[in-house]
């Protein structure tokens, strides 16, 4: 579901956002890659500047990076030297195609009423046993940050319900982590690790 104000932010700030300092792979990305077969097929939802995609490519994975922002996709293409598909979450139509789906700080832009359907699309896109890792901002409401970006802030119980309604995940693990984001505000992150059952 397209949110014009969120996309406007990424259009206007694409170069700055895509080139902010992120070099070393995160512990979460390392754990994700460790759970995949060598050279596996990975779909990235919301590649941003392409930093995570580049790490995965350098590790030998077959990565399909996507982003809903045409401007961010262009910035990521500069880093990756390959096309980045412009795709909104609800446009994912692939079936049984990926060993893993990586969605770091991207699905949190989806409105609550759309989230279960999007997660069902991810479930369908994975091979049976495929690994899905995604992060969300903790909370209990929908709203906008200081940059005008739309977020669905979710607590663990609500997030778990969306996943369980979207498909069979074996297992489904949710972990909390304190940190921040582009706005540098204190943030409770919810990291979900799940495999298609």
């Amino acid at each position: 579901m397209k949110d014009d104000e969120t996309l406007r932010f990424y259009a206007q700030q694409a170069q700055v956002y895509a080139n902010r300092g992120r070099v070393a792979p995160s512990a979460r990305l390392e754990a994700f890659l460790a759970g995949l077969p060598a050279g596996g097929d990975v779909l990235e939802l919301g590649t941003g500047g392409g930093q995570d995609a580049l790490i995965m490519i350098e590790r030998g994975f077959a990565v399909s990076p996507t982003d809903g922002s045409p401007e961010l996709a262009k910035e990521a293409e500069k880093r990756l030297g390959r096309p980045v598909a412009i795709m909104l979450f609800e446009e994912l139509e692939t079936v049984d195609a990926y060993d893993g789906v990586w969605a770091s700080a991207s699905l949190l832009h989806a409105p609550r009423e759309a989230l279960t359907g999007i997660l069902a699309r991810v479930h369908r896109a994975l091979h049976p046993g495929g690994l899905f890792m995604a992060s969300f901002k903790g909370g209990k409401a929908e709203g906008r940050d200081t940059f005008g970006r739309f977020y669905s802030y979710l607590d663990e119980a609500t997030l778990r319900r969306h996943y369980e309604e979207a498909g069979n995940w074996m297992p489904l693990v949710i972990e909390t982590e304190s940190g921040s984001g582009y706005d540098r505000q204190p943030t409770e992150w919810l990291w979900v690790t799940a495999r298609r059952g």
Side-chain angles (χ1 to χ4, degrees):
M1 187 174 296
K2 186 168 73 169
D3 181 75
D4 290 336
E5 192 170 345
T6 301
L7 288 173
R8 189 178 307 116
F9 165 82
Y10 288 115
Q12 293 171 348
Q13 299 294 321
Q15 190 171 15
V16 173
Y17 185 86
N19 291 293
R20 69 199 191 282
R22 287 178 66 199
V23 180
S26 69
R28 298 289 179 178
L29 180 57
E30 293 283 13
F32 173 72
L33 297 179
L36 300 176
D41 292 302
V42 178
L43 171 66
E44 183 180 26
L45 297 174
T47 196
Q51 289 94 338
D52 290 346
L54 181 60
I55 290 167
M56 291 188 273
I57 290 166
E58 290 175 342
R59 300 284 181 88
F61 292 92
V63 183
S64 298
T66 71
D67 205 279
S69 164
E71 294 80 8
L72 273 180
K74 285 182 183 177
E75 292 297 323
E77 286 175 352
K78 294 176 189 176
R79 175 171 278 114
L80 301 175
R82 63 172 66 185
V84 172
I86 300 166
M87 184 185 77
L88 300 175
F89 306 132
E90 59 270 22
E91 294 172 338
L92 176 60
E93 298 289 349
T94 318
V95 178
D96 294 340
Y98 300 105
D99 299 298
V101 174
W102 174 253
S104 175
S106 59
L107 291 176
L108 40 63
H109 291 306
R112 289 180 179 220
E113 68 268 18
L115 184 57
T116 297
I118 292 167
L119 295 175
R121 289 176 180 272
V122 172
H123 188 275
R124 185 179 62 192
L126 285 163
H127 294 310
L131 180 62
F132 177 31
M133 190 174 285
S135 61
F136 301 84
K137 288 188 175 186
K140 295 183 178 295
E142 293 181 329
R144 296 188 183 275
D145 69 1
T146 55
F147 297 111
R149 297 177 297 176
F150 175 86
Y151 285 96
S152 287
Y153 300 95
L154 299 159
D155 60 28
E156 181 175 343
T158 303
L159 191 53
R160 186 174 294 276
R161 186 174 68 251
H162 280 289
Y163 269 79
E164 290 174 347
E165 291 175 356
N168 179 30
W169 304 97
M170 298 289 289
L172 172 61
V173 178
I174 301 177
E175 298 173 295
T176 61
E177 183 177 284
S178 296
S180 64
Y182 186 72
D183 60 3
R184 302 186 184 277
Q185 296 300 307
T187 302
E188 179 191 51
W189 290 95
L190 300 179
W191 279 91
V192 186
T193 305
R195 287 190 182 273
R196 176 180 167 179

